[in-house]
Amino acid sequence: MIAGVVEMYHPGYVADTNWFTIGHTGFDEREALVVCRELGFPYSKLLPLGIKVLPIDQSPSIVYVEKDGIKGVIHPEHWDDDDAKIMCRQQGYKTGVALGPRNAEGHIENCNYDEKPPLWNDNAFRGSRSVAQVHCTNGTGVEIKLESGTSPNSGMVKVSVSGEWGVICDMNWTNMDARVACRHLGFKDGYAGTNVIKSIGTGRLWLYNIDCTGVEQSIFSCPAYFNVTNQQYNAYCMPYVFCSKKVVATLFSLTSLLSLPVRLQPNVTFGAVLVWDRDNYHLVCAEGFDDLAAQAVCRSLGFAYGTSICCSAFGRMEYSIIYSNVKCTGIESDLLKCDYVKYIPNCTSGHYASVACSNNPKNEDYELKIHPSGKVTTRHFDNSGFICANGFDDKEATVICKEMEYKGGSAYFHSRHTKYSTVPLLGVPWLANIGCKGTEKNLGKCGKINWGSVGSCDNNRIPAVYCYNKSGFAFALVNGTDKGNGLVEFTLDDKKGAICLRHSRIQERQKIAAIVCKQLGYGNGSLLLNGTDVDNEVALMQQFPGKLDMFITNVKCNGNESSLAECTFRILEDWSSFTEDWIRITTNDCTDAGCMRARMYYRVHEMEQELSCWGGKRRLAVRCFI
């Protein structure tokens, strides 16, 4: 079956197409039958003229229309709350709200519309999120609020529909989503809260898997699943935002909201300083940018205090530096009120300026946290952050562990190249090259504590510590046929462990073997067993039997290290050691129970494979030589 408007081809009628539409006057069932037979169909039906909106039997609902007897949908562009209210009143409801990606007429058919909407991609209609939707109600409509935040402009986003408060669940909540939520609440801008402890919300799941572009005025204008009743949710998917200061009650256009004179990236409370100029944002040179300049930036964003973070602290930015030689006196309420050079920047270092903002004055207070994975994070000046790997060794680890009431600590490093080890999830790079002696009672007593002055932060490694009460890392070769070969075994306190090579290729294993031998005082080394993986596993279990307490796994080395401590790795003790960024298989983007079951099966399988070293498989055994 086909349906549509009847057009006829006539040479020379229209210069560009030569097609014209047949008028409806005098066109009846007989003409319709002739047209259909000419197109190869034996039957026909003349469709009624005009456009009408079809009744909805549930809410929320996709908006279906019928044009000349053909059922269709409305393209979401420009679909807004005014359109939704008109349609819902037409359907007998009190009011309505537009859902999905987006005059006072009495009927929706009387509104202005375009019969030829923009071109859509091939996948446009494969889900309800990509067409205009509406929620009709006889209640109070929809609203959102922030709850359980550390300040009036931060918190978990809650949703109310007709007076019933519920939650949003979004495992991939982004800065674009947060920006729209904050704008919906009347703030200028906002960013997603990532390094925050979130509690599980209560109530109905009103919005699920939101996907905003960042330009929407309302969170309900973003593509999302609405009123999801069969989806479970937990604390990890609760959306948390940090919003900038409120918009002054005046006329603000969408352009002015999106083009703030000064903003930060990647977070609303910390990040690189971006200044709007000529339809784009630009960076400020770090040279000469001090705490007075940071104060001006933070004041313009609604904060009372600010501090400079040096230098290029948040990685690569897709913006150019055009501002330099910034000079502020400390009384300015905006960076653009300071003296500066523009367009001809004197920035020989190429580093951009960054700041952290707070409503509390700067002091030396801080909080330390050792995560289950061993990663060390710190909170200072109301901003979560981390310690750079530069200059971090056992002395710093010992001081940190002493502060946690252990005897000492051993330093090692995680790789920064994981989903959960990137800005803004890591936060502010607060410290580097701390210069501890190992005898200090706390980190604040170390010799080179200078919050925010990190210079060039290591982009590849994140410090981690293993706290002990008896003894730190000690490596040895055991059960070998002579002094220079055997299983690589390490001890921590009273626990014994080995190095697991489950993910490593043969070339990588050879590099690790050579590094371990150098660490033990040999000139070089290689793998003890060079058979196939299956043959090696059998030989390992026969030659080096016995159970161990822990394993070093996910080892990554360049090959030029002199000890394993310079590589990145993880320490695995049991199931509780697995953290959010360990197993690459997640359930974050699942939208149904089948996907959840399948992902959980493969996730558990991956964990079991990770734990396979307990059975004697893939342990590192080496042959060292002078």
Side-chain angles (χ1 to χ4, degrees):
M1 183 187 80
I2 63 171
V5 176
V6 180
E7 293 188 342
M8 180 176 289
Y9 180 84
H10 189 280
Y13 177 72
V14 182
D16 53 349
T17 65
N18 294 321
W19 287 92
F20 66 94
T21 303
I22 297 179
H24 65 278
T25 304
F27 193 97
D28 58 21
E29 293 288 358
R30 291 172 298 180
E31 282 78 15
L33 182 59
V34 172
V35 170
C36 289
R37 285 176 176 172
E38 189 171 346
L39 293 172
F41 295 91
Y43 306 104
S44 67
K45 179 177 175 59
L46 185 64
L47 298 177
L49 295 175
I51 183 171
K52 66 178 180 178
V53 177
L54 301 180
I56 60 174
D57 54 7
Q58 63 179 7
S59 189
S61 172
I62 295 174
V63 182
Y64 290 103
V65 296
E66 188 176 277
K67 175 71 169 67
D68 297 337
I70 304 171
K71 184 179 178 181
V73 294
I74 297 178
H75 187 273
E77 187 175 344
H78 304 308
W79 174 254
D80 59 21
D81 287 346
D82 288 336
D83 304 321
K85 288 175 183 177
I86 293 168
M87 182 197 159
C88 289
R89 288 170 186 160
Q90 181 180 337
Q91 301 277 340
Y93 290 90
K94 179 180 177 182
T95 187
V97 61
L99 304 175
R102 329 252 195 234
N103 304 346
E105 294 83 348
H107 286 259
I108 193 72
E109 295 92 333
N110 296 333
C111 301
N112 293 324
Y113 62 88
D114 188 348
E115 291 188 25
K116 295 182 179 180
L119 293 175
W120 296 328
N121 60 48
D122 293 339
N123 298 318
F125 282 125
R126 297 192 178 178
S128 62
R129 297 171 16 137
S130 56
V131 298
Q133 301 176 68
V134 66
H135 172 61
C136 297
T137 176
N138 289 316
T140 57
V142 296
E143 56 183 316
I144 67 173
K145 68 178 181 180
L146 301 182
E147 187 177 276
S148 304
T150 57
S151 66
N153 64 331
S154 68
M156 188 168 68
V157 184
K158 299 294 292 291
V159 179
S160 171
V161 177
S162 299
E164 181 183 350
W165 286 98
V167 300
I168 298 173
C169 177
D170 192 340
M171 298 297 291
N172 296 305
W173 181 256
T174 67
N175 286 337
M176 297 299 101
D177 305 323
R179 177 172 294 172
V180 175
C182 290
R183 187 180 301 129
H184 188 146
L185 289 164
F187 295 96
K188 279 188 176 182
D189 204 353
Y191 287 90
T194 52
N195 276 353
V196 294
I197 299 174
K198 297 177 284 189
S199 60
I200 188 169
T202 57
R204 183 180 296 188
L205 179 54
W206 283 122
L207 289 173
Y208 179 66
N209 273 12
I210 298 172
D211 187 18
C212 301
T213 63
V215 301
E216 298 88 351
Q217 294 274 33
S218 165
I219 197 70
F220 297 102
S221 301
C222 303
Y225 296 103
F226 186 79
N227 192 16
V228 182
T229 58
N230 61 348
Q231 177 69 43
Q232 295 181 340
Y233 58 87
N234 53 47
Y236 293 106
C237 72
M238 298 292 102
Y240 197 98
V241 298
F242 292 99
C243 300
S244 61
K245 68 181 182 180
K246 284 271 188 179
V247 176
V248 179
T250 183
L251 293 176
F252 256 83
S253 67
L254 178 60
T255 302
S256 66
L257 282 168
L258 294 177
S259 309
L260 300 177
V262 178
R263 60 171 295 192
L264 304 180
Q265 185 173 316
N267 202 297
V268 73
T269 59
F270 64 80
V273 179
L274 298 177
V275 182
W276 183 265
D277 182 80
R278 297 187 179 182
D279 299 326
N280 202 359
Y281 280 105
H282 301 278
L283 295 164
V284 180
C285 182
E287 296 170 21
F289 190 96
D290 56 16
D291 283 351
L292 296 179
Q295 292 268 22
V297 171
C298 293
R299 284 178 189 144
S300 70
L301 297 173
F303 297 94
Y305 303 97
T307 185
S308 174
I309 309 294
C310 182
C311 305
S312 293
F314 298 96
R316 183 180 177 184
M317 291 284 165
E318 299 296 329
Y319 306 97
S320 58
I321 297 174
I322 70 168
Y323 292 86
S324 64
N325 296 83
V326 176
K327 301 293 181 184
C328 301
T329 63
I331 63 172
E332 295 87 355
S333 60
D334 193 302
L335 182 68
L336 297 179
K337 294 181 180 179
C338 302
D339 292 333
Y340 56 84
V341 174
K342 182 177 170 183
Y343 300 135
I344 310 176
N346 178 23
C347 194
T348 56
S349 68
H351 292 306
Y352 61 79
S354 305
V355 303
C357 300
S358 173
N359 284 318
N360 293 309
K362 190 176 179 181
N363 54 43
E364 296 302 314
D365 294 344
Y366 66 90
E367 298 174 18
L368 280 176
K369 181 178 179 180
I370 302 175
H371 296 255
S373 64
K375 181 175 68 176
V376 180
T377 57
T378 183
R379 186 172 179 82
H380 173 71
F381 199 52
D382 290 336
N383 284 277
S384 297
F386 65 102
I387 300 172
C388 295
N390 310 59
F392 193 92
D393 58 24
D394 286 347
K395 295 176 182 177
E396 280 75 23
T398 294
V399 174
I400 289 171
C401 290
K402 281 182 178 179
E403 200 164 341
M404 301 293 179
E405 300 185 349
Y406 288 89
K407 177 184 175 181
S410 292
Y412 65 104
F413 299 96
H414 290 179
S415 172
R416 280 190 68 171
H417 302 297
T418 68
K419 175 183 176 182
Y420 292 91
S421 297
T422 55
V423 173
L425 295 171
L426 281 173
V428 180
W430 276 125
L431 295 170
N433 298 305
I434 303 171
C436 295
K437 296 178 181 178
T439 57
E440 297 88 349
K441 291 184 178 180
N442 58 65
L443 207 63
K445 300 292 185 182
C446 293
K448 297 180 181 179
I449 293 291
N450 191 359
W451 295 99
S453 182
V454 298
S456 180
C457 192
D458 191 321
N459 291 321
N460 299 311
R461 303 179 300 165
I462 308 168
V465 300
Y466 191 95
C467 298
Y468 58 82
N469 285 317
K470 293 184 179 180
S471 60
F473 274 116
F475 288 84
L477 301 180
V478 299
N479 299 337
T481 56
D482 57 49
K483 182 181 178 181
N485 66 59
L487 179 73
V488 179
E489 187 178 273
F490 67 91
T491 57
L492 272 172
D493 275 345
D494 294 329
K495 298 178 180 180
K496 292 185 178 181
I499 299 174
C500 181
L501 300 177
R502 194 179 77 81
H503 285 300
S504 303
R505 297 180 179 179
I506 185 66
Q507 296 88 347
E508 295 168 342
R509 298 175 202 170
Q510 293 286 9
K511 285 194 297 186
I512 296 169
I515 291 168
V516 170
C517 287
K518 291 176 184 177
Q519 181 175 337
L520 293 172
Y522 294 90
N524 211 331
S526 63
L527 295 171
L528 180 62
L529 303 173
N530 291 305
T532 65
D533 286 345
V534 175
D535 292 339
N536 288 345
E537 288 178 2
V538 172
L540 279 169
M541 288 187 285
Q542 291 175 345
Q543 192 170 346
F544 307 110
K547 293 185 177 181
L548 295 170
D549 304 304
M550 59 203 311
F551 288 91
I552 286 175
T553 184
N554 284 7
V555 183
K556 296 179 181 178
C557 304
N558 294 323
N560 55 2
E561 296 87 351
S562 58
S563 75
L564 201 64
E566 299 173 27
C567 304
T568 62
F569 57 84
R570 297 295 184 93
I571 296 177
L572 180 63
E573 294 187 72
D574 52 38
W575 285 86
S576 65
S577 301
F578 290 109
T579 57
E580 72 280 358
D581 58 342
W582 194 303
I583 302 301
R584 60 182 179 269
I585 299 173
T586 72
T587 58
N588 291 358
D589 56 347
C590 284
T591 58
D592 57 74
C595 175
M596 292 284 289
R597 285 194 298 269
R599 295 285 183 85
M600 284 303 297
Y601 171 82
Y602 288 116
R603 183 173 172 82
V604 171
H605 176 72
E606 186 84 0
M607 290 181 180
E608 290 173 344
Q609 290 295 307
E610 201 63 79
L611 293 167
S612 63
C613 283
W614 260 274
K617 299 179 180 179
R618 298 290 179 92
R619 300 180 184 182
L620 177 64
V622 301
R623 176 183 291 107
C624 299
F625 40 86
I626 304 300

